[in-house]
Amino acid sequence: MLWATALILAGLCGAPLGQYNEEEDLAWLQYYLRQSRAASYNYIPYYEEENPPYVYSYPSGPDAEPEPAPEPQRASPWRCPQECDCPPTFPSAMYCDGRGLRYLPFVPSRMRYVYFQNNLVTSIQDGAFDNATELEWLALHNNRLGSRGVGARAFAKLGRLERLYLNNNNLTRLPGPLPRSLRELHLSYNQISEVPPDALEGLENLTALYLSHNYIFEMGASLKGLRSLILADLSYNRLGKVPDGLPASLEQLYLEYNRIEAVPGDYFRASPRLLYVRMSHNGLTERGLSADAFNSSSILELDLSYNRLRKIPRVSTNLENLYLQGNRIDEFSISSFCSVVDVMNYSRLQVLRLDGNEIKRNAVPPDAPLCLRRASVIEI
């Protein structure tokens, strides 16, 4: 093909074929081929779904008008980084998980769900997501992110972000400021030791907060302004006291595996929707509990196992599951469940665990079956 083109051009230039000098014209031909090859291929780095990846041009004839140079291609909103997958059937999702990445690739503006988990990313610079203002889910768990590597405004422009996964990293503090649109914040399995009062300020849409398996020793009143919060998981930390000012919307509170020794008498009254409370593996004793500390009519499940209790605390008759195993309880007091025992007054308790205590089986009072008539499991 190229030899034919060379011969045609030679004819157009008036060179008779009989005068063709092989050595001179071979040098000319090699020069021509180099020039034409350089002009014919204009390589442009491309991303998936850009078409075409290469721009082709061809030399024009001697009488043709010169072909205008191609305009530079703009970034396509449909592109996808070569390090990731963007399924055509789910064009708003970008999967970059488990690829050994040490950096965050460019996120196209159309993306709403981005998955960077299970990589080796150590930092997020300010502006990393400024182009992706439509993001709703951002998964960054199981990386190597440290607090020094996360820009102060790394998430500032994500005004529609609802779920942020940062668990299993090396963070020592909460990143911020965080988008007010957040509904779920996952920060478990980090190295966070403190939550300042303003760390969660403005997150009025937050419904679930996961901070378990950290080193937090103080929460203060940082939960108080989270008026949509339903679930707070603060288990496996070093809390010496319960968080101040629970929000009224709270339904699930997990505080197991901490160092809590006391609960104020009116502590749960601020959360009339609270259903599940887990405080196992703490240091609770009678000295730190008022008589009605857990007597909340909304609570359905209460786990106080593996503490230092010597008596069964008074609970509401609406309670359905009570776990007290592994304490030091030596008395079965029916008044803890029923203030009055008769046909009309009884406990709704279904499961009662008292095994691993110091109660003897013959210590169960005779009116226990009447009070605990709903119970299907009683372990002593």
Side-chain angles (χ1 to χ4, degrees):
M1 180 70 180
L2 293 174
W3 281 97
T5 305
L7 293 175
I8 292 171
L9 289 175
L12 292 175
C13 294
L17 294 176
Q19 299 178 358
Y20 176 71
N21 185 300
E22 184 174 357
E23 293 182 359
E24 294 180 1
D25 288 340
L26 184 59
W28 170 84
L29 180 60
Q30 291 174 346
Y31 172 77
Y32 168 77
L33 292 177
R34 286 196 300 268
Q35 293 298 106
S36 63
R37 186 179 296 113
S40 299
Y41 297 90
N42 181 17
Y43 175 74
I44 298 178
Y46 73 101
Y47 293 88
E48 293 177 12
E49 300 184 16
E50 277 193 31
N51 190 28
Y54 296 93
V55 177
Y56 296 94
S57 61
Y58 299 93
S60 304
D63 298 329
E65 295 183 0
E67 184 177 347
E71 296 182 1
Q73 292 190 355
R74 297 181 179 179
S76 169
W78 297 103
R79 67 184 179 178
C80 182
Q82 292 180 344
E83 303 91 339
C84 308
D85 290 327
C86 305
T89 55
F90 197 11
S92 60
M94 187 170 84
Y95 296 90
C96 312
D97 51 306
R99 313 200 177 203
L101 297 179
R102 297 179 182 274
Y103 62 92
L104 295 180
F106 173 78
V107 181
S109 59
R110 74 179 188 277
M111 294 302 172
R112 296 170 60 188
Y113 312 95
V114 177
Y115 304 92
F116 289 121
Q117 70 269 26
N118 303 322
N119 280 295
L120 305 172
V121 179
T122 59
S123 63
I124 306 173
Q125 302 301 322
D126 285 338
F129 303 112
D130 283 3
N131 184 64
T133 55
E134 300 297 315
L135 276 182
E136 296 180 15
W137 288 34
L138 179 55
L140 287 159
H141 51 288
N142 292 318
N143 275 282
R144 297 181 179 179
L145 291 170
S147 291
R148 292 184 179 181
V150 179
R153 301 191 60 79
F155 309 107
K157 293 190 177 181
L158 300 180
R160 297 189 178 184
L161 192 66
E162 294 184 358
R163 290 173 174 84
L164 178 58
Y165 297 84
L166 288 166
N167 41 303
N168 290 89
N169 277 285
N170 300 320
L171 299 173
T172 56
R173 62 177 183 273
L174 271 68
L178 294 168
R180 294 175 178 263
S181 55
L182 272 184
R183 294 184 179 275
E184 291 186 15
L185 179 57
H186 298 256
L187 286 163
S188 299
Y189 292 95
N190 276 282
Q191 300 173 19
I192 300 169
S193 59
E194 188 177 3
V195 181
D198 59 345
L200 301 169
E201 187 175 358
L203 301 183
E204 297 182 355
N205 294 309
L206 195 68
T207 60
L209 175 62
Y210 298 90
L211 279 168
S212 68
H213 294 87
N214 278 282
Y215 302 100
I216 302 171
F217 61 88
E218 177 66 42
M219 284 293 296
S222 55
L223 302 181
K224 188 174 183 179
L226 306 179
R227 60 184 184 182
S228 299
L229 193 66
I230 294 175
L231 183 152
D233 187 356
L234 305 172
S235 59
Y236 292 88
N237 277 284
R238 298 178 179 179
L239 293 173
K241 56 177 294 188
V242 291
D244 296 330
L246 295 181
S249 58
L250 196 65
E251 296 180 7
Q252 303 176 50
L253 178 62
Y254 304 135
L255 291 167
E256 63 263 38
Y257 287 93
N258 276 284
R259 301 172 180 178
I260 299 169
E261 297 181 357
V263 178
D266 57 350
Y267 183 65
F268 296 112
R269 292 180 184 176
S271 303
R273 301 178 184 177
L274 194 60
L275 300 173
Y276 307 98
V277 177
R278 296 179 183 173
M279 297 188 67
S280 67
H281 296 273
N282 276 279
L284 295 174
T285 64
E286 284 71 24
R287 293 182 180 180
L289 301 180
S290 68
D292 291 314
F294 297 105
N295 190 9
S296 172
S297 60
S298 65
I299 298 177
L300 298 180
E301 180 176 295
L302 177 61
D303 187 353
L304 299 175
S305 59
Y306 300 100
N307 278 279
R308 301 174 185 174
L309 299 173
R310 293 188 177 276
K311 296 181 179 180
I312 300 174
R314 185 179 301 170
V315 295
S316 168
T317 55
N318 292 327
L319 188 69
E320 295 181 357
N321 300 287
L322 177 59
Y323 302 95
L324 287 166
Q325 69 269 25
N327 277 277
R328 302 173 183 177
I329 300 171
D330 58 5
E331 178 186 0
F332 195 116
S333 53
I334 200 65
S335 60
S336 298
F337 309 102
C338 300
S339 57
V340 177
V341 182
D342 57 30
V343 176
M344 300 299 297
N345 296 283
Y346 57 90
S347 171
R348 274 73 174 174
L349 202 66
Q350 298 176 16
V351 176
L352 174 61
R353 291 279 307 273
L354 285 166
D355 47 307
N357 282 280
E358 299 176 11
I359 301 177
K360 297 179 181 179
R361 290 184 177 272
N362 57 8
V364 178
D367 52 354
L370 186 59
C371 170
L372 303 175
R373 68 184 70 174
R374 290 279 188 90
S376 57
V377 176
I378 298 178
E379 295 189 14
I380 300 176

mmCIF file of all heavy atoms in Angstrom, residues 190-229:
data_model
loop_
_atom_site.group_PDB
_atom_site.id
_atom_site.type_symbol
_atom_site.label_atom_id
_atom_site.label_comp_id
_atom_site.label_asym_id
_atom_site.label_seq_id
_atom_site.Cartn_x
_atom_site.Cartn_y
_atom_site.Cartn_z
ATOM 1 N N ASN A 190 -10.892 1.848 63.658
ATOM 2 C CA ASN A 190 -9.871 2.852 63.420
ATOM 3 C C ASN A 190 -9.088 3.052 64.710
ATOM 4 O O ASN A 190 -9.085 2.179 65.584
ATOM 5 C CB ASN A 190 -10.500 4.148 62.910
ATOM 6 C CG ASN A 190 -10.741 4.122 61.416
ATOM 7 O OD1 ASN A 190 -9.832 4.302 60.618
ATOM 8 N ND2 ASN A 190 -11.997 3.893 61.018
ATOM 9 N N GLN A 191 -8.447 4.187 64.854
ATOM 10 C CA GLN A 191 -7.659 4.482 66.045
ATOM 11 C C GLN A 191 -8.111 5.801 66.679
ATOM 12 O O GLN A 191 -7.315 6.525 67.260
ATOM 13 C CB GLN A 191 -6.176 4.538 65.676
ATOM 14 C CG GLN A 191 -5.650 3.240 65.090
ATOM 15 C CD GLN A 191 -4.235 3.353 64.564
ATOM 16 O OE1 GLN A 191 -3.503 4.267 64.914
ATOM 17 N NE2 GLN A 191 -3.840 2.421 63.709
ATOM 18 N N ILE A 192 -9.398 6.080 66.574
ATOM 19 C CA ILE A 192 -9.954 7.326 67.086
ATOM 20 C C ILE A 192 -10.012 7.269 68.612
ATOM 21 O O ILE A 192 -10.525 6.311 69.184
ATOM 22 C CB ILE A 192 -11.348 7.571 66.495
ATOM 23 C CG1 ILE A 192 -11.261 7.657 64.960
ATOM 24 C CG2 ILE A 192 -11.979 8.830 67.071
ATOM 25 C CD1 ILE A 192 -12.597 7.639 64.263
ATOM 26 N N SER A 193 -9.510 8.303 69.261
ATOM 27 C CA SER A 193 -9.476 8.315 70.723
ATOM 28 C C SER A 193 -10.408 9.357 71.334
ATOM 29 O O SER A 193 -10.712 9.280 72.525
ATOM 30 C CB SER A 193 -8.046 8.567 71.217
ATOM 31 O OG SER A 193 -7.560 9.800 70.723
ATOM 32 N N GLU A 194 -10.850 10.308 70.541
ATOM 33 C CA GLU A 194 -11.675 11.389 71.088
ATOM 34 C C GLU A 194 -12.651 11.889 70.031
ATOM 35 O O GLU A 194 -12.332 11.918 68.842
ATOM 36 C CB GLU A 194 -10.784 12.539 71.555
ATOM 37 C CG GLU A 194 -11.513 13.632 72.299
ATOM 38 C CD GLU A 194 -10.571 14.708 72.791
ATOM 39 O OE1 GLU A 194 -9.353 14.624 72.497
ATOM 40 O OE2 GLU A 194 -11.042 15.642 73.475
ATOM 41 N N VAL A 195 -13.833 12.262 70.474
ATOM 42 C CA VAL A 195 -14.833 12.861 69.596
ATOM 43 C C VAL A 195 -15.168 14.241 70.147
ATOM 44 O O VAL A 195 -15.928 14.361 71.112
ATOM 45 C CB VAL A 195 -16.103 11.992 69.514
ATOM 46 C CG1 VAL A 195 -17.123 12.623 68.573
ATOM 47 C CG2 VAL A 195 -15.753 10.578 69.020
ATOM 48 N N PRO A 196 -14.608 15.302 69.581
ATOM 49 C CA PRO A 196 -14.883 16.655 70.074
ATOM 50 C C PRO A 196 -16.370 17.003 69.962
ATOM 51 O O PRO A 196 -17.090 16.419 69.149
ATOM 52 C CB PRO A 196 -14.035 17.543 69.148
ATOM 53 C CG PRO A 196 -12.981 16.635 68.600
ATOM 54 C CD PRO A 196 -13.623 15.293 68.489
ATOM 55 N N PRO A 197 -16.849 17.950 70.770
ATOM 56 C CA PRO A 197 -18.278 18.298 70.750
ATOM 57 C C PRO A 197 -18.789 18.731 69.386
ATOM 58 O O PRO A 197 -19.961 18.509 69.062
ATOM 59 C CB PRO A 197 -18.364 19.445 71.766
ATOM 60 C CG PRO A 197 -17.194 19.251 72.664
ATOM 61 C CD PRO A 197 -16.113 18.681 71.815
ATOM 62 N N ASP A 198 -17.933 19.358 68.563
ATOM 63 C CA ASP A 198 -18.388 19.858 67.260
ATOM 64 C C ASP A 198 -18.060 18.911 66.113
ATOM 65 O O ASP A 198 -18.284 19.245 64.956
ATOM 66 C CB ASP A 198 -17.747 21.213 66.974
ATOM 67 C CG ASP A 198 -16.220 21.152 66.974
ATOM 68 O OD1 ASP A 198 -15.666 20.147 67.466
ATOM 69 O OD2 ASP A 198 -15.589 22.103 66.484
ATOM 70 N N ALA A 199 -17.554 17.707 66.411
ATOM 71 C CA ALA A 199 -17.134 16.794 65.341
ATOM 72 C C ALA A 199 -18.304 16.339 64.485
ATOM 73 O O ALA A 199 -18.137 16.071 63.285
ATOM 74 C CB ALA A 199 -16.423 15.590 65.934
ATOM 75 N N LEU A 200 -19.492 16.242 65.065
ATOM 76 C CA LEU A 200 -20.682 15.784 64.340
ATOM 77 C C LEU A 200 -21.707 16.893 64.175
ATOM 78 O O LEU A 200 -22.867 16.643 63.856
ATOM 79 C CB LEU A 200 -21.309 14.600 65.083
ATOM 80 C CG LEU A 200 -20.396 13.382 65.271
ATOM 81 C CD1 LEU A 200 -21.016 12.395 66.239
ATOM 82 C CD2 LEU A 200 -20.120 12.705 63.932
ATOM 83 N N GLU A 201 -21.260 18.106 64.336
ATOM 84 C CA GLU A 201 -22.166 19.250 64.266
ATOM 85 C C GLU A 201 -22.775 19.389 62.867
ATOM 86 O O GLU A 201 -22.085 19.278 61.855
ATOM 87 C CB GLU A 201 -21.412 20.524 64.636
ATOM 88 C CG GLU A 201 -22.302 21.755 64.762
ATOM 89 C CD GLU A 201 -21.525 22.971 65.241
ATOM 90 O OE1 GLU A 201 -20.302 22.826 65.504
ATOM 91 O OE2 GLU A 201 -22.128 24.046 65.337
ATOM 92 N N GLY A 202 -24.068 19.637 62.825
ATOM 93 C CA GLY A 202 -24.749 19.865 61.559
ATOM 94 C C GLY A 202 -25.256 18.620 60.865
ATOM 95 O O GLY A 202 -25.957 18.724 59.855
ATOM 96 N N LEU A 203 -24.953 17.447 61.392
ATOM 97 C CA LEU A 203 -25.387 16.207 60.735
ATOM 98 C C LEU A 203 -26.795 15.829 61.198
ATOM 99 O O LEU A 203 -27.021 14.791 61.811
ATOM 100 C CB LEU A 203 -24.389 15.085 61.029
ATOM 101 C CG LEU A 203 -22.947 15.325 60.589
ATOM 102 C CD1 LEU A 203 -22.093 14.099 60.869
ATOM 103 C CD2 LEU A 203 -22.873 15.691 59.114
ATOM 104 N N GLU A 204 -27.732 16.655 60.871
ATOM 105 C CA GLU A 204 -29.109 16.468 61.353
ATOM 106 C C GLU A 204 -29.845 15.359 60.615
ATOM 107 O O GLU A 204 -30.920 14.945 61.044
ATOM 108 C CB GLU A 204 -29.886 17.781 61.234
ATOM 109 C CG GLU A 204 -29.317 18.888 62.112
ATOM 110 C CD GLU A 204 -30.114 20.168 62.016
ATOM 111 O OE1 GLU A 204 -31.052 20.212 61.190
ATOM 112 O OE2 GLU A 204 -29.814 21.111 62.766
ATOM 113 N N ASN A 205 -29.290 14.884 59.487
ATOM 114 C CA ASN A 205 -29.912 13.794 58.740
ATOM 115 C C ASN A 205 -29.312 12.435 59.070
ATOM 116 O O ASN A 205 -29.782 11.414 58.565
ATOM 117 C CB ASN A 205 -29.778 14.043 57.233
ATOM 118 C CG ASN A 205 -30.555 15.259 56.778
ATOM 119 O OD1 ASN A 205 -31.732 15.393 57.077
ATOM 120 N ND2 ASN A 205 -29.898 16.157 56.067
ATOM 121 N N LEU A 206 -28.284 12.404 59.919
ATOM 122 C CA LEU A 206 -27.596 11.155 60.231
ATOM 123 C C LEU A 206 -28.513 10.219 61.009
ATOM 124 O O LEU A 206 -29.044 10.577 62.053
ATOM 125 C CB LEU A 206 -26.326 11.444 61.038
ATOM 126 C CG LEU A 206 -25.316 10.295 61.136
ATOM 127 C CD1 LEU A 206 -24.685 10.032 59.782
ATOM 128 C CD2 LEU A 206 -24.246 10.609 62.169
ATOM 129 N N THR A 207 -28.676 8.997 60.493
ATOM 130 C CA THR A 207 -29.514 8.002 61.162
ATOM 131 C C THR A 207 -28.712 6.882 61.802
ATOM 132 O O THR A 207 -29.199 6.239 62.732
ATOM 133 C CB THR A 207 -30.512 7.379 60.166
ATOM 134 O OG1 THR A 207 -29.787 6.745 59.100
ATOM 135 C CG2 THR A 207 -31.427 8.440 59.575
ATOM 136 N N ALA A 208 -27.480 6.630 61.319
ATOM 137 C CA ALA A 208 -26.682 5.537 61.862
ATOM 138 C C ALA A 208 -25.229 5.980 62.000
ATOM 139 O O ALA A 208 -24.628 6.470 61.040
ATOM 140 C CB ALA A 208 -26.772 4.304 60.963
ATOM 141 N N LEU A 209 -24.668 5.779 63.197
ATOM 142 C CA LEU A 209 -23.288 6.148 63.486
ATOM 143 C C LEU A 209 -22.561 4.919 64.034
ATOM 144 O O LEU A 209 -22.945 4.370 65.066
ATOM 145 C CB LEU A 209 -23.238 7.278 64.517
ATOM 146 C CG LEU A 209 -21.857 7.699 65.014
ATOM 147 C CD1 LEU A 209 -21.004 8.243 63.882
ATOM 148 C CD2 LEU A 209 -21.981 8.727 66.134
ATOM 149 N N TYR A 210 -21.509 4.509 63.328
ATOM 150 C CA TYR A 210 -20.739 3.333 63.709
ATOM 151 C C TYR A 210 -19.328 3.765 64.115
ATOM 152 O O TYR A 210 -18.533 4.172 63.270
ATOM 153 C CB TYR A 210 -20.662 2.334 62.551
ATOM 154 C CG TYR A 210 -22.006 1.806 62.114
ATOM 155 C CD1 TYR A 210 -22.743 2.453 61.129
ATOM 156 C CD2 TYR A 210 -22.548 0.659 62.689
ATOM 157 C CE1 TYR A 210 -23.984 1.969 60.720
ATOM 158 C CE2 TYR A 210 -23.787 0.163 62.298
ATOM 159 C CZ TYR A 210 -24.495 0.827 61.301
ATOM 160 O OH TYR A 210 -25.728 0.350 60.907
ATOM 161 N N LEU A 211 -19.038 3.652 65.417
ATOM 162 C CA LEU A 211 -17.734 4.042 65.954
ATOM 163 C C LEU A 211 -17.130 2.934 66.820
ATOM 164 O O LEU A 211 -16.275 3.204 67.657
ATOM 165 C CB LEU A 211 -17.869 5.322 66.784
ATOM 166 C CG LEU A 211 -17.896 6.644 66.010
ATOM 167 C CD1 LEU A 211 -18.323 7.787 66.919
ATOM 168 C CD2 LEU A 211 -16.522 6.943 65.398
ATOM 169 N N SER A 212 -17.540 1.725 66.621
ATOM 170 C CA SER A 212 -17.049 0.627 67.450
ATOM 171 C C SER A 212 -15.593 0.308 67.133
ATOM 172 O O SER A 212 -15.055 0.690 66.090
ATOM 173 C CB SER A 212 -17.905 -0.623 67.227
ATOM 174 O OG SER A 212 -17.719 -1.133 65.919
ATOM 175 N N HIS A 213 -14.951 -0.407 68.058
ATOM 176 C CA HIS A 213 -13.565 -0.860 67.896
ATOM 177 C C HIS A 213 -12.617 0.301 67.609
ATOM 178 O O HIS A 213 -11.875 0.312 66.627
ATOM 179 C CB HIS A 213 -13.470 -1.909 66.787
ATOM 180 C CG HIS A 213 -14.175 -3.191 67.113
ATOM 181 N ND1 HIS A 213 -15.525 -3.372 66.846
ATOM 182 C CD2 HIS A 213 -13.733 -4.346 67.695
ATOM 183 C CE1 HIS A 213 -15.874 -4.589 67.239
ATOM 184 N NE2 HIS A 213 -14.821 -5.194 67.757
ATOM 185 N N ASN A 214 -12.684 1.315 68.480
ATOM 186 C CA ASN A 214 -11.738 2.415 68.469
ATOM 187 C C ASN A 214 -11.134 2.541 69.859
ATOM 188 O O ASN A 214 -11.152 1.574 70.641
ATOM 189 C CB ASN A 214 -12.426 3.718 68.028
ATOM 190 C CG ASN A 214 -12.536 3.826 66.520
ATOM 191 O OD1 ASN A 214 -11.574 4.150 65.827
ATOM 192 N ND2 ASN A 214 -13.736 3.561 65.986
ATOM 193 N N TYR A 215 -10.627 3.709 70.203
ATOM 194 C CA TYR A 215 -10.021 3.930 71.516
ATOM 195 C C TYR A 215 -10.672 5.131 72.209
ATOM 196 O O TYR A 215 -10.029 5.829 72.982
ATOM 197 C CB TYR A 215 -8.515 4.161 71.374
ATOM 198 C CG TYR A 215 -7.789 3.027 70.695
ATOM 199 C CD1 TYR A 215 -7.450 3.109 69.351
ATOM 200 C CD2 TYR A 215 -7.461 1.871 71.396
ATOM 201 C CE1 TYR A 215 -6.794 2.062 68.712
ATOM 202 C CE2 TYR A 215 -6.806 0.821 70.774
ATOM 203 C CZ TYR A 215 -6.473 0.926 69.428
ATOM 204 O OH TYR A 215 -5.827 -0.117 68.795
ATOM 205 N N ILE A 216 -11.932 5.353 71.938
ATOM 206 C CA ILE A 216 -12.621 6.553 72.418
ATOM 207 C C ILE A 216 -12.836 6.471 73.927
ATOM 208 O O ILE A 216 -13.402 5.501 74.441
ATOM 209 C CB ILE A 216 -13.972 6.720 71.700
ATOM 210 C CG1 ILE A 216 -13.752 6.804 70.179
ATOM 211 C CG2 ILE A 216 -14.700 7.962 72.197
ATOM 212 C CD1 ILE A 216 -15.026 6.758 69.369
ATOM 213 N N PHE A 217 -12.408 7.482 74.645
ATOM 214 C CA PHE A 217 -12.600 7.522 76.092
ATOM 215 C C PHE A 217 -13.605 8.583 76.520
ATOM 216 O O PHE A 217 -14.005 8.627 77.681
ATOM 217 C CB PHE A 217 -11.263 7.765 76.802
ATOM 218 C CG PHE A 217 -10.598 9.070 76.443
ATOM 219 C CD1 PHE A 217 -10.889 10.229 77.142
ATOM 220 C CD2 PHE A 217 -9.697 9.134 75.391
ATOM 221 C CE1 PHE A 217 -10.287 11.429 76.812
ATOM 222 C CE2 PHE A 217 -9.083 10.340 75.059
ATOM 223 C CZ PHE A 217 -9.373 11.491 75.767
ATOM 224 N N GLU A 218 -14.019 9.439 75.593
ATOM 225 C CA GLU A 218 -14.955 10.510 75.938
ATOM 226 C C GLU A 218 -15.807 10.868 74.718
ATOM 227 O O GLU A 218 -15.283 11.087 73.628
ATOM 228 C CB GLU A 218 -14.183 11.753 76.410
ATOM 229 C CG GLU A 218 -15.047 12.949 76.725
ATOM 230 C CD GLU A 218 -15.952 12.717 77.927
ATOM 231 O OE1 GLU A 218 -15.471 12.140 78.927
ATOM 232 O OE2 GLU A 218 -17.119 13.116 77.852
ATOM 233 N N MET A 219 -17.127 10.905 74.913
ATOM 234 C CA MET A 219 -18.040 11.318 73.846
ATOM 235 C C MET A 219 -18.681 12.666 74.139
ATOM 236 O O MET A 219 -19.109 13.361 73.232
ATOM 237 C CB MET A 219 -19.151 10.273 73.659
ATOM 238 C CG MET A 219 -18.722 9.023 72.936
ATOM 239 S SD MET A 219 -18.289 9.277 71.193
ATOM 240 C CE MET A 219 -19.863 9.787 70.521
ATOM 241 N N GLY A 220 -18.748 13.028 75.429
ATOM 242 C CA GLY A 220 -19.385 14.291 75.782
ATOM 243 C C GLY A 220 -20.818 14.323 75.308
ATOM 244 O O GLY A 220 -21.547 13.335 75.379
ATOM 245 N N ALA A 221 -21.237 15.479 74.781
ATOM 246 C CA ALA A 221 -22.597 15.643 74.274
ATOM 247 C C ALA A 221 -22.621 15.697 72.752
ATOM 248 O O ALA A 221 -23.476 16.336 72.160
ATOM 249 C CB ALA A 221 -23.209 16.919 74.859
ATOM 250 N N SER A 222 -21.666 14.996 72.120
ATOM 251 C CA SER A 222 -21.549 15.064 70.665
ATOM 252 C C SER A 222 -22.724 14.430 69.932
ATOM 253 O O SER A 222 -22.925 14.685 68.752
ATOM 254 C CB SER A 222 -20.243 14.409 70.213
ATOM 255 O OG SER A 222 -20.151 13.085 70.703
ATOM 256 N N LEU A 223 -23.516 13.600 70.617
ATOM 257 C CA LEU A 223 -24.680 12.973 69.981
ATOM 258 C C LEU A 223 -25.942 13.829 70.077
ATOM 259 O O LEU A 223 -26.928 13.570 69.383
ATOM 260 C CB LEU A 223 -24.963 11.605 70.606
ATOM 261 C CG LEU A 223 -23.854 10.553 70.564
ATOM 262 C CD1 LEU A 223 -24.354 9.276 71.224
ATOM 263 C CD2 LEU A 223 -23.412 10.279 69.138
ATOM 264 N N LYS A 224 -25.913 14.816 70.929
ATOM 265 C CA LYS A 224 -27.133 15.540 71.271
ATOM 266 C C LYS A 224 -27.799 16.197 70.069
ATOM 267 O O LYS A 224 -29.025 16.203 69.947
ATOM 268 C CB LYS A 224 -26.820 16.601 72.331
ATOM 269 C CG LYS A 224 -28.044 17.275 72.909
ATOM 270 C CD LYS A 224 -27.671 18.204 74.046
ATOM 271 C CE LYS A 224 -28.907 18.822 74.685
ATOM 272 N NZ LYS A 224 -28.555 19.708 75.812
ATOM 273 N N GLY A 225 -27.020 16.759 69.154
ATOM 274 C CA GLY A 225 -27.601 17.470 68.016
ATOM 275 C C GLY A 225 -28.003 16.589 66.857
ATOM 276 O O GLY A 225 -28.527 17.087 65.857
ATOM 277 N N LEU A 226 -27.818 15.284 66.979
ATOM 278 C CA LEU A 226 -28.155 14.365 65.881
ATOM 279 C C LEU A 226 -29.614 13.959 66.000
ATOM 280 O O LEU A 226 -29.952 12.853 66.417
ATOM 281 C CB LEU A 226 -27.232 13.144 65.923
ATOM 282 C CG LEU A 226 -25.728 13.445 65.926
ATOM 283 C CD1 LEU A 226 -24.931 12.155 66.003
ATOM 284 C CD2 LEU A 226 -25.327 14.242 64.691
ATOM 285 N N ARG A 227 -30.489 14.837 65.611
ATOM 286 C CA ARG A 227 -31.918 14.641 65.906
ATOM 287 C C ARG A 227 -32.605 13.600 65.035
ATOM 288 O O ARG A 227 -33.777 13.294 65.258
ATOM 289 C CB ARG A 227 -32.654 15.966 65.800
ATOM 290 C CG ARG A 227 -32.589 16.648 64.458
ATOM 291 C CD ARG A 227 -33.282 17.991 64.539
ATOM 292 N NE ARG A 227 -33.337 18.672 63.254
ATOM 293 C CZ ARG A 227 -33.858 19.885 63.102
ATOM 294 N NH1 ARG A 227 -34.348 20.528 64.152
ATOM 295 N NH2 ARG A 227 -33.885 20.448 61.913
ATOM 296 N N SER A 228 -31.895 13.011 64.055
ATOM 297 C CA SER A 228 -32.456 11.921 63.257
ATOM 298 C C SER A 228 -31.812 10.588 63.580
ATOM 299 O O SER A 228 -32.144 9.568 62.979
ATOM 300 C CB SER A 228 -32.282 12.213 61.756
ATOM 301 O OG SER A 228 -32.950 13.386 61.367
ATOM 302 N N LEU A 229 -30.889 10.577 64.548
ATOM 303 C CA LEU A 229 -30.106 9.384 64.835
ATOM 304 C C LEU A 229 -30.986 8.264 65.376
ATOM 305 O O LEU A 229 -31.741 8.450 66.327
ATOM 306 C CB LEU A 229 -28.997 9.708 65.837
ATOM 307 C CG LEU A 229 -27.913 8.646 66.000
ATOM 308 C CD1 LEU A 229 -27.095 8.502 64.724
ATOM 309 C CD2 LEU A 229 -27.001 8.984 67.178
#
